[in-house]
Amino acid sequence: MKKKYLLSLDQGTTSSRAIIFDETGNIRGSSAREFKQLYPQPGWVEHNPYDILGSQMGVISEAIASAGLTPRDIEAIGITNQRETTLVWDAETGEPICNAIVWQCRRTAEAAERLIREGYERLIYGKTGLIPDAYFSATKLRWILDNVAGARARADAGKLRFGTVDTYLLWHLTGGRVHATDFTNASRTMLFNIHTLDWDDDLLEIFGVPRSMLPEVHPSGFMYGATETGIVGRSIPVCAMAGDQQAALFGQLCTHKGDMKNTYGTGCFLLMNAGDEAPQSKRGLITTLAASVGRPDYALEGSVFVGGAAVQWLRDELRMIRTAADSEKYAVRVSDAGGVYVVPAFVGLGAPHWDSRARGTVTGITRGTTKEHFIRAVLESIAYQVFDVMHAMERDTGIKPTALKVDGGASANDFLMQFQADISDCKVVRPKVVETTALGASYLAGLTCGYFNGLADIEANAQTDRTFAPTFDEAKRQALLLGWEEAIGKAKYR
């Protein structure tokens, strides 16, 4: 066994975590802190940048201590982060000029729709692989420049810096010495050309963004710099950065064309490794860059806006369950959802529908509908949404999935995983270590600093917890999918 360990900083939408891994990919220690979600107006979502920074910095020493280690036992750091969330700060002081605009925020939905009306959709997709939407960073950044007092003038004068969360953390970890990001995070901004692997001048002009604001861009596995000694008492190299979903794709070892994973978090994020040629989706999917140590592969991605958040809704707003785990207990008490379908389009529909004005809908309620039926329908809705994306990927690529690798909090729900296998007609594979986002960041860091000799070292230690095989006959599966299709149709904006 190696005497040193890898530290992953996993900065997510609702919490910041630090996880320490050994050479076998097992967790040695961890710590997490939640932070406040800000909703200044309906549809707006913000984070205080100091909450992001403070929570992430705070868990580093806690994780090291929980593992019974010292800073000298840490070989390297990998960073993984919530993507698209947009921050702008002063180039000299590092002081943010406003709250971070979170990926979930819909304040720029009209601006994104205007881009489509003005005929920019094909140009943007051709360069970035993205569909114009408020989800991505560019419209958020333009909103900040146009609405925060003095921001435009300061940006034009070269006095402001832009970054996604990875960039913001790296800036502060290195004492403001390094302003950089990786290919995966850059590919989510709608400002980065995924074919030339550079910021795109045409897009910078469209969104009014000075190039001086932008970070340098490197592979996910890269020697970015080293932390300030004062952070944990020792300078530690930062050897990887990757957006959370691409980090999870790497953590699941989806390194070959056709490999597919889904992360069940607040939303659901399905990625397929598409190899070295950028696919052109005709079904509302986006093309992005995969995490790598060298030149990246491309990946097809579909995002479901409300996944695990639907279970939180059952718990917090409807108060039907006390804990998320209770959802499985209630769901298995009935043999089916009793014809009930729940479409949790609380903030619109993501891939492959891309309808920002769709809203949550419930269909099929009868006098015989019970709490158990409703809870089961909510869980099933997560699997249906994931299937919609899987089916779109299959039609775009001609590759029929034989296995879906899964991770994220809701992947622990055996009922949901079995229903996912049944409705998708393919195996669902859950790894022993489900913290694959943080694991992917540690793998990338370890490969970069020489902790691992190569990918074969990592693959030799991969461990599966459980495989769920499909059990539905085709007639039953198609009948259920037809009901879902009808429910989705009723949820869409007309």
Side-chain angles (χ1 to χ4, degrees):
M1 294 286 291
K2 293 180 185 292
K3 294 182 179 180
K4 291 198 172 185
Y5 303 85
L6 298 169
L7 170 63
S8 285
L9 306 185
D10 185 356
Q11 204 299 302
T13 307
T14 59
S15 68
S16 297
R17 298 186 298 168
I19 302 178
I20 296 172
F21 293 94
D22 63 24
E23 67 174 346
T24 65
N26 288 311
I27 295 173
R28 181 67 183 265
S30 66
S31 180
R33 290 187 189 178
E34 293 187 354
F35 57 91
K36 191 174 183 180
Q37 307 296 297
L38 306 175
Y39 307 100
Q41 295 185 34
W44 291 30
V45 189
E46 296 181 354
H47 291 157
N48 184 325
Y50 292 116
D51 288 345
I52 294 174
L53 185 63
S55 60
Q56 189 64 79
M57 294 296 192
V59 294
I60 296 175
S61 295
E62 292 174 2
I64 293 173
S66 76
L69 304 175
T70 72
R72 294 188 177 278
D73 296 312
I74 306 302
E75 182 78 15
I77 291 173
I79 297 173
T80 182
N81 57 285
Q82 52 166 313
R83 303 173 302 171
E84 297 95 20
T85 294
T86 301
L87 300 103
V88 177
W89 62 92
D90 185 275
E92 292 296 325
T93 67
E95 182 179 356
I97 68 169
C98 62
N99 281 337
I101 301 180
V102 179
W103 61 273
Q104 297 165 313
C105 186
R106 305 304 297 172
R107 77 184 65 182
T108 59
E110 171 57 31
E113 291 171 4
R114 187 165 59 249
L115 288 168
I116 295 173
R117 291 196 302 269
E118 293 174 354
Y120 287 111
E121 182 174 13
R122 181 175 295 182
L123 181 145
I124 289 173
Y125 180 77
K127 290 175 177 287
T128 69
L130 307 178
I131 298 166
D133 191 85
Y135 182 32
F136 306 111
S137 307
T139 59
K140 296 174 170 61
L141 177 53
R142 180 162 192 165
W143 189 95
I144 291 171
L145 294 177
D146 289 344
N147 289 276
V148 176
R152 174 68 64 186
R154 292 170 71 187
D156 288 341
K159 295 181 178 180
L160 295 181
R161 297 291 179 263
F162 153 75
T164 42
V165 171
D166 59 311
T167 302
Y168 180 69
L169 291 177
L170 181 68
W171 173 279
H172 286 281
L173 284 167
T174 61
R177 295 191 307 273
V178 183
H179 184 218
T181 189
D182 83 302
F183 289 138
T184 68
N185 279 294
S187 72
R188 312 297 297 188
T189 62
M190 214 155 64
L191 297 170
F192 190 75
N193 191 311
I194 62 173
H195 309 289
T196 65
L197 300 183
D198 193 11
W199 302 111
D200 191 274
D201 289 330
D202 291 338
L203 297 174
L204 298 184
E205 183 177 351
I206 289 170
F207 290 101
V209 176
R211 187 176 275 266
S212 62
M213 295 187 73
L214 304 175
E216 295 180 357
V217 189
H218 302 291
S220 301
F222 184 81
M223 193 70 73
Y224 283 92
T227 65
E228 290 277 273
T229 302
I231 292 174
V232 291
R234 171 179 173 260
S235 181
I236 302 173
V238 179
C239 295
M241 298 201 302
D244 52 10
Q245 301 314 316
Q246 287 98 328
L249 188 72
F250 199 86
Q252 290 275 28
L253 299 177
C254 294
T255 57
H256 301 98
K257 185 175 181 178
D259 289 348
M260 181 184 292
K261 75 90 196 174
N262 185 60
T263 296
Y264 298 82
T266 304
C268 289
F269 302 91
L270 184 64
L271 275 73
M272 173 191 281
N273 187 314
D276 58 6
E277 294 186 9
Q280 301 288 309
S281 176
K282 297 179 180 178
R283 294 168 179 85
L285 303 177
I286 58 178
T287 304
T288 192
L289 294 173
S292 66
V293 177
R295 185 177 177 89
D297 280 341
Y298 293 96
L300 267 180
E301 176 171 341
S303 302
V304 172
F305 293 153
V306 177
V311 180
Q312 294 171 340
W313 173 62
L314 285 174
R315 182 192 65 194
D316 300 337
E317 279 74 36
L318 300 187
R319 296 188 291 279
M320 285 189 173
I321 55 177
R322 292 182 181 273
T323 68
D326 285 343
S327 62
E328 181 175 1
K329 179 178 67 176
Y330 284 107
V332 298
R333 289 180 180 174
V334 289
S335 59
D336 55 43
V340 177
Y341 289 87
V342 177
V343 183
F346 305 144
V347 290
L349 288 169
H353 309 286
W354 291 107
D355 185 345
S356 63
R357 298 189 182 184
R359 286 297 176 263
T361 302
V362 182
T363 68
I365 292 178
T366 69
R367 180 64 181 82
T369 298
T370 66
K371 170 180 171 177
E372 287 79 6
H373 289 124
F374 193 89
I375 292 171
R376 182 175 177 125
V378 168
L379 288 179
E380 289 181 356
S381 77
I382 301 171
Y384 283 126
Q385 291 179 96
V386 171
F387 169 77
D388 282 349
V389 180
M390 292 178 67
H391 187 55
M393 286 184 177
E394 179 182 348
R395 295 178 68 192
D396 271 340
T397 64
I399 301 173
K400 180 174 176 56
T402 57
L404 174 67
K405 296 182 178 181
V406 299
D407 54 63
S411 70
N413 188 309
D414 287 351
F415 166 77
L416 175 57
M417 294 301 96
Q418 184 59 59
F419 190 78
Q420 188 72 75
D422 288 334
I423 209 66
S424 305
D425 193 32
C426 79
K427 292 187 298 183
V428 168
V429 182
R430 184 171 64 198
K432 181 179 178 182
V433 177
V434 297
E435 299 289 357
T436 53
T437 300
L439 184 60
S442 76
Y443 285 164
L444 289 160
L447 288 168
T448 301
C449 71
Y451 184 84
F452 300 116
N453 293 322
L455 200 57
D457 277 3
I458 297 172
E459 291 172 338
N461 291 312
Q463 302 175 69
T464 297
D465 171 57
R466 182 172 172 183
T467 298
F468 299 84
T471 61
F472 284 177
D473 62 62
E474 188 61 12
K476 179 178 181 179
R477 190 173 80 93
Q478 290 300 329
L480 289 170
L481 288 171
L482 179 60
W484 170 253
E485 186 177 339
E486 292 173 350
I488 279 280
K490 293 173 182 177
K492 289 184 177 179
Y493 176 76
R494 292 181 174 87

